[in-house]
């Protein structure tokens, strides 16, 4: 596996920041849950594709609805991204549901339950 270059890391961070702003402030789709966050973004070195890892704080239905809303707004998001970031190519974004935050909260709760002293 190839190590990310400094340029690629900077592009990932910039796309991550702008994507978060677009999802939070500019998309008016009611399917997108208000507690949606962009966990990470991986832009391919050729700038043609990007994977956006999305975390949704809510039940399974909210997660599926949010993913559907984001997929339907891909064109709008790509146009906004192209206007805010000056790249040679604007990447095609693939949204992937990331459940690592939810998993971490669940594990933390389980650890707290185990270590709680008996009264």
């Amino acid at each position: 596996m190839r190590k990310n270059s400094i340029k690629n890391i900077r592009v990932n961070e910039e796309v991550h920041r702008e994507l978060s702003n677009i999802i939070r402030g500019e998309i008016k789709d009611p399917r997108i849950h208000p507690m949606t966050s962009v966990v990470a973004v991986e832009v391919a070195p050729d700038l043609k594709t990007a994977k956006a890892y999305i975390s949704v704080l809510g039940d399974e239905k909210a997660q599926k609805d949010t993913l559907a809303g984001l997929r339907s707004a891909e064109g709008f998001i790509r146009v906004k991204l192209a206007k805010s970031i000056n790249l040679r190519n604007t990447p095609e974004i693939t949204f992937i549901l990331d459940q690592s935050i939810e998993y971490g909260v669940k594990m933390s709760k389980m650890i707290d339950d185990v270590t709680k002293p008996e009264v």
Side-chain angles (χ1 to χ4, degrees):
M1 191 164 118
R2 194 175 155 251
K3 184 179 171 190
N4 280 347
S5 66
I6 293 173
K7 177 189 171 203
N8 200 354
I9 292 170
R10 285 184 182 161
V11 169
N12 288 345
E13 290 171 357
E14 187 66 25
V15 171
H16 179 262
R17 187 179 319 110
E18 289 301 323
L19 194 56
S20 297
N21 290 338
I22 292 168
I23 290 173
R24 187 178 339 106
E26 298 189 33
I27 298 179
K28 304 291 188 245
D29 195 329
R31 293 178 290 182
I32 298 175
H33 196 271
M35 295 297 287
T36 301
S37 61
V38 180
V39 178
V41 175
E42 293 177 5
V43 179
D46 64 354
L47 305 176
K48 299 259 189 230
T49 60
K51 293 179 186 175
Y53 296 93
I54 305 296
S55 176
V56 180
L57 195 63
D59 60 347
E60 196 170 321
K61 183 184 181 320
Q63 293 174 351
K64 287 182 180 179
D65 288 348
T66 299
L67 221 49
L70 288 172
R71 286 187 178 134
S72 71
E74 274 180 4
F76 173 79
I77 292 170
R78 196 168 175 205
V79 167
K80 288 290 187 182
L81 209 57
K83 288 180 181 175
S84 60
I85 301 175
N86 185 18
L87 292 174
R88 188 175 346 120
N89 297 318
T90 304
E92 240 180 82
I93 303 167
T94 305
F95 293 103
I96 301 168
L97 190 62
D98 183 25
Q99 296 175 324
S100 61
I101 294 174
E102 186 178 328
Y103 179 75
V105 169
K106 180 180 166 189
M107 291 304 289
S108 179
K109 184 181 181 313
M110 289 171 67
I111 291 169
D112 290 345
D113 289 346
V114 169
T115 59
K116 186 168 53 173
E118 294 291 324
V119 177

